Amino acid sequence: MTVSKSPEDFSQPPLDGPPSRSVGRVKVLFPLPLFKAYDYILPPGATAPVGAFVKAPFGPRAVFGVVWHGEPDEGVPAAKLKTIAEVMAAPPLSADLIDFIDWTARYTMFPAGSVLRMVMRSGDGLVVPASQTGYVLGSPPEPPIRMTPQRQAVLDAARAEPRAASALAAEAGVSDAVVRGLSNLGALTRVEIDPDPPFLEPDLARPGYDLSDDQQFAAEQIRRHIDDNKHTTTLIDGVTGSGKTEVYLEAVAAALARDPAAQVLILIPEIALTLPFLKRVAKRFGAEPSPWHSELTSAARRRTWRRVADGSARLVVGARSALFLPFQKLKLIIVDEEHDGAYKQGDGVIYHARDLAVARGARARFPVILASATPSLETVVNVDEGRYDAVGLTARFADAAMPDIALVDMRATPAGPGRWLSPPLVAAVNEGLSAGEQSLLFLNRRGYAPLTLCRRCGHKMTAPNSDTMLVEHRFENRLVCHHTGFSMPKPKACPACNAVDGLAPCGPGVERVAEEARERWPEARIAILSSDTVGARAMREILDAMHGGDIDILIATQVVAKGHHFPNLTFVGVVDADLGLSGGDLRAAERTYQLLSQVTGRAGREAKPGRALLQTYQTKAPVLAALVNGERDGFLAAEATSRRELGFPPYGRLAAIILRGPDERALQACAQAHRAAIPPADGIEVWGPAPAPIYRLRGEARIRFLVKARRNMDIQRFIKTWIGDVKVKAAIRRVVDIDPYSFL
Ligand code: ADP
């Protein structure tokens, strides 16, 4: 079998021109795991363009769907077709979004209906909500009312557009009653408002910062791509704190100014970053952009969804799923921290948002900008081979120096029994404390201890029906599985041998390091930050306290690595620099480099110089040497060489097929049937079946295949040919992961 034509080549023409209007029969795609659209009849007199939202009977229910492209089968008698119940008033999906849905479905090998589901996730955006009462400044009442600071604050807030009582009260910092009182006195006028008010337009006339020469040069190069109005992908490659954000905000301004209907999307990897980021953009454009992430309230999601769909939300800042918002005229995507693993979605439709963003731009012919201080090897190779452009920012803004990084050899200067911080690390924190500066102790492990072991019989505490370790969370006195979410109170006795008080915590997590820090520095203000810090608000409070200098020592996992700017942080101590290096993942060294370079990059971002110490038992590891010597490019070149030799990404393509099910024998038989069906193909190897490293998860066994193909091969077509005819029993789930990032 020969397979050619990689789907990475975006040459197939996208759908173009105005969508055709269909009368009579149409195809409808539903947001359900369906590979194809179904034929329907439009109600008499109704018309609906391709992309229109409709409600139509499907099975026992009426379901929202979208009029899809393709010719309905005229051979089917009309009497056999069902009639669409309602054509919704929501603006139809744009032709390039429909094309993107199709492309994503082909690329990821998931049903088009499942991809559409991501677009329609905010289903209530289709139903126009009832209007609300809003308040706006009325004419000054006669006789004049008694003015209080509370009333004045409300009147000041009411000068802008009409808003609900709650919104005005929140801005003025008063109760809703003050607003209603002013309305009764005639100082505020009641008007009907849309509960999803439009977002303020970005003010493009507002000047940005004066850019440095380097920044100016980079911004101009990018602006040229925007003016060319065609597809390019440009990497802004700049050290942490060099002003990448300021530079790409110039590109945002250019894209929005060029076309009054243009929309721009900025993707960011971490929800905790959204709020400060929105504020920062608001400072630049005088208006907060429209936010999109999983922690928004459903009303806020509906507002963003509807305003993106009607084209009035011109600038959106969101997590990876924002890529599937119903943009009318998307003209630029920026992927900040493009190397970040959070862009890979592992549940439902499995996709990588950075790669999909580039594909979206390529097919709809608009520019895409990637920004990173530690770009992924994929992107670096794309730059080297001329597919992407690059602009570089080599110095920190305002002459802030890069931190000085050194290793601590844990064999030469051990931490001591039951301790995790070595003497050099302790000395550095002491120095910071006496200078009134902040320290960050970084350990990418949540909880108190990653392993709980019985000292009597050696039993390891695992999640039920899973091969995953239970992590002690001492604060809650529970054992928690980070893979399945299972948790239980920490038992007194070992469940295997019944020995009482034999269960011992092994190894450190952030809570344990905090325990040691509190012992060593009882006077210091110490806080822990990890994804266990419940809620965006609690996280924000800690980040604000750190920013404001109200914390001396922050002990944190990777949630702190990205984007934050703490002016008084001068020391970063990495408790276990070896943590990410084991495990046989092909990107282990690359990820370690990215993470440690990001986290050490938090130190000394302003006038005071920063330094970092990395505790390690592997002083010879090339990745650590590269960090110490600031030899990123040399490290990437060595990585590239070894990947090329092995034919691994980006020099080859990978896909994983995962089979899982509760019945091991049936699963084995299914795996063997897959093995037997592998078609011979030049340039493609299939490894497996092999038990997954986490073999049992939530009561299911898991078996993996890994497909490795040459770069120019259509790996999807191979997989389709291979597994298309292999029967899978209902109790077994088969998932295809194109370009896998996790091998567990
Ligand atoms: P990066 O995105 O590369 O990490 P940022 O864009 O966050 O860097 O810039 C780092 C800090 O320097 C920010 O506080 C930013 O506002 C400031 N900064 C960057 N460029 C300028 C400039 N030209 N004028 C004023 N402040 C700047």
Side-chain angles (χ1 to χ4, degrees):
M1 183 170 126
T2 45
V3 193
S4 61
K5 197 153 177 297
S6 156
E8 274 181 338
D9 124 36
F10 305 110
S11 55
Q12 290 155 303
L15 296 169
D16 238 342
S20 61
R21 261 179 196 277
S22 321
V23 187
R25 295 182 182 209
V26 288
K27 289 199 121 25
V28 175
L29 183 67
F30 292 101
L32 299 166
L34 302 165
F35 281 93
K36 60 181 186 98
Y38 291 82
D39 291 1
Y40 278 84
I41 295 191
L42 280 167
T47 61
V50 170
F53 289 99
V54 294
K55 197 171 198 181
F58 188 78
R61 296 175 298 140
V63 179
F64 287 122
V66 172
V67 175
W68 215 240
H69 56 84
E71 288 304 313
D73 184 353
E74 296 295 338
V76 181
K80 289 213 150 176
L81 296 183
K82 291 187 178 148
T83 302
I84 284 171
E86 192 180 350
V87 179
M88 309 307 292
L93 296 182
S94 66
D96 73 55
L97 180 53
I98 291 176
D99 172 71
F100 178 60
I101 293 170
D102 279 336
W103 186 89
T104 301
R106 278 201 305 276
Y107 189 83
T108 60
M109 304 190 73
F110 276 82
S114 302
V115 181
L116 177 63
R117 181 149 180 264
M118 299 196 287
V119 174
M120 291 177 64
R121 207 177 283 152
S122 184
D124 55 357
L126 292 177
V127 185
V128 181
S131 60
Q132 268 184 346
T133 305
Y135 298 84
V136 69
L137 208 55
S139 42
E142 275 303 325
I145 56 170
R146 187 176 57 84
M147 201 44 75
T148 62
Q150 286 82 0
R151 284 179 167 176
Q152 191 57 54
V154 171
L155 294 179
D156 289 344
R159 264 174 232 288
E161 73 281 351
R163 280 179 294 168
S166 56
L168 282 179
E171 186 178 320
V174 302
S175 73
D176 292 14
V178 182
V179 178
R180 295 216 180 79
L182 283 169
S183 158
N184 293 339
L185 292 167
L188 293 177
T189 308
R190 285 172 202 241
V191 288
E192 298 251 295
I193 54 163
D194 191 317
D196 300 334
F199 291 91
L200 285 181
E201 283 256 338
D203 177 1
L204 303 176
R206 249 170 117 98
Y209 285 119
D210 287 333
L211 298 184
S212 68
D213 288 351
D214 262 14
Q215 291 174 340
Q216 187 72 30
F217 183 77
E220 250 152 45
Q221 216 171 321
I222 293 173
R223 213 174 290 133
R224 225 171 295 132
H225 288 310
I226 307 280
D227 290 340
D228 286 349
N229 192 31
K230 55 180 201 217
H231 173 67
T232 45
T233 304
T234 307
L235 168 68
I236 307 181
D237 179 357
V239 295
T240 47
S242 57
K244 296 183 289 297
T245 313
E246 303 302 334
V247 168
Y248 70 62
L249 289 179
E250 291 309 301
V252 170
L256 293 174
R258 204 177 170 278
D259 176 346
Q263 294 172 296
V264 171
L265 169 63
I266 303 177
L267 291 175
I268 57 176
E270 180 70 51
I271 296 176
L273 283 177
T274 320
L275 214 61
F277 193 83
L278 295 177
K279 297 259 175 283
R280 184 163 176 190
V281 178
K283 228 166 110 189
R284 173 68 183 79
F285 294 121
E288 275 196 18
S290 317
W292 184 260
H293 57 75
S294 57
E295 286 198 5
L296 291 183
T297 62
S298 61
R301 283 166 81 84
R302 186 190 63 210
R303 178 182 180 206
T304 295
W305 195 93
R306 281 185 63 209
R307 294 307 174 185
V308 170
D310 74 11
S312 66
R314 299 199 60 209
L315 178 55
V316 178
V317 170
R320 60 188 179 214
S321 59
L323 204 48
F324 293 95
L325 280 168
F327 289 98
Q328 285 304 331
K329 202 171 189 187
L330 190 54
K331 282 295 183 186
L332 171 67
I333 304 179
I334 289 156
V335 186
D336 202 357
E337 313 283 3
E338 67 85 28
H339 62 275
D340 200 294
Y343 285 122
K344 177 81 179 182
Q345 155 109 8
D347 299 324
V349 177
I350 301 178
Y351 65 88
H352 197 297
R354 176 203 55 220
D355 298 348
L356 257 51
V358 172
R360 181 115 161 73
R363 296 190 62 83
R365 305 190 194 104
F366 61 71
V368 176
I369 296 173
L370 312 177
S372 177
T374 52
S376 62
L377 192 58
E378 276 78 359
T379 295
V380 168
V381 170
N382 276 322
V383 170
D384 288 346
E385 296 183 356
R387 281 184 294 275
Y388 294 179
D389 244 355
V391 297
L393 295 171
T394 47
R396 282 190 156 179
F397 179 70
D399 298 328
M402 292 306 287
D404 176 33
I405 305 175
L407 301 183
V408 174
D409 183 345
M410 293 303 278
R411 285 162 308 191
T413 51
R419 301 220 142 185
W420 317 100
L421 305 177
S422 64
L425 224 72
V426 172
V429 173
N430 279 333
E431 256 173 60
L433 285 171
S434 44
E437 294 168 5
Q438 294 169 303
S439 296
L440 168 68
L441 298 179
F442 174 79
L443 175 62
N444 202 18
R445 236 195 227 140
R446 295 156 53 196
Y448 184 82
L451 172 67
T452 303
L453 186 80
C454 176
R455 274 189 297 243
R456 289 287 276 302
C457 73
H459 175 74
K460 292 175 185 159
M461 294 296 292
T462 55
N465 305 314
S466 300
D467 295 336
T468 49
M469 296 302 158
L470 290 178
V471 178
E472 179 174 347
H473 285 241
R474 186 155 282 194
F475 189 61
E476 291 138 10
N477 197 25
R478 292 183 82 80
L479 300 180
V480 180
C481 171
H482 292 172
H483 294 274
T484 61
F486 168 85
S487 83
M488 63 186 277
K490 189 179 173 192
K492 278 249 164 256
C494 169
C497 72
N498 290 323
V500 175
D501 290 332
L503 291 175
C506 300
V510 276
E511 290 179 10
R512 202 167 195 180
V513 172
E515 183 181 81
E516 180 177 341
R518 287 196 182 106
E519 240 173 76
R520 287 186 185 276
W521 298 289
E523 305 291 309
R525 296 165 300 174
I526 294 174
I528 304 180
L529 186 67
S530 77
S531 56
D532 295 313
T533 309
V534 188
R537 191 177 176 161
M539 210 176 252
R540 209 44 264 148
E541 278 170 12
I542 294 179
L543 291 169
D544 285 346
M546 185 67 186
H547 194 266
D550 297 328
I551 292 173
D552 299 313
I553 305 171
L554 182 65
I555 297 153
T557 62
Q558 63 179 353
V559 293
V560 83
K562 303 162 194 170
H564 301 293
H565 186 81
F566 306 122
N568 200 34
L569 173 67
T570 51
F571 173 66
V572 173
V574 175
V575 176
D576 184 355
D578 307 337
L579 191 57
L581 284 174
S582 53
D585 186 319
L586 76 105
R587 294 184 181 86
E590 185 190 349
R591 276 201 200 119
T592 299
Y593 188 91
Q594 287 160 347
L595 184 59
L596 296 187
S597 143
Q598 294 280 343
V599 77
T600 53
R602 299 304 114 207
R605 283 168 69 97
E606 290 199 354
K608 297 173 196 159
R611 76 178 178 118
L613 290 176
L614 316 180
Q615 295 190 155
T616 177
Y617 289 92
Q618 302 181 40
T619 46
K620 300 246 152 34
V623 54
L624 299 184
L627 276 161
V628 168
N629 301 322
E631 284 170 349
R632 186 194 83 180
D633 293 343
F635 166 73
L636 283 174
E639 276 291 295
T641 306
S642 77
R643 298 247 196 114
R644 189 188 282 118
E645 278 164 8
L646 296 166
F648 276 157
Y651 297 99
R653 309 197 58 209
L654 290 181
I657 316 263
I658 301 121
L659 303 171
R660 55 172 218 256
D663 176 348
E664 260 181 86
R665 293 220 355 228
L667 195 67
Q668 284 293 352
C670 182
Q672 287 313 322
H674 277 83
R675 172 87 240 166
I678 298 171
D682 281 345
I684 295 191
E685 289 170 67
V686 180
W687 295 328
I694 299 178
Y695 178 61
R696 287 208 145 267
L697 198 64
R698 296 188 188 94
E700 289 186 322
R702 302 161 74 245
I703 292 182
R704 296 179 64 106
F705 287 92
L706 191 65
V707 185
K708 189 178 86 162
R710 275 194 222 127
R711 185 152 79 173
N712 58 357
M713 301 234 158
D714 185 342
I715 200 167
Q716 286 89 346
R717 210 165 110 201
F718 170 80
I719 293 171
K720 210 165 162 185
T721 311
W722 165 25
I723 66 175
D725 292 329
V726 185
K727 292 259 175 309
V728 178
K729 285 195 179 144
I732 294 177
R733 273 272 288 157
R734 179 175 67 195
V735 175
V736 179
D737 179 359
I738 302 288
D739 310 326
Y741 278 69
S742 164
F743 300 86
L744 293 178

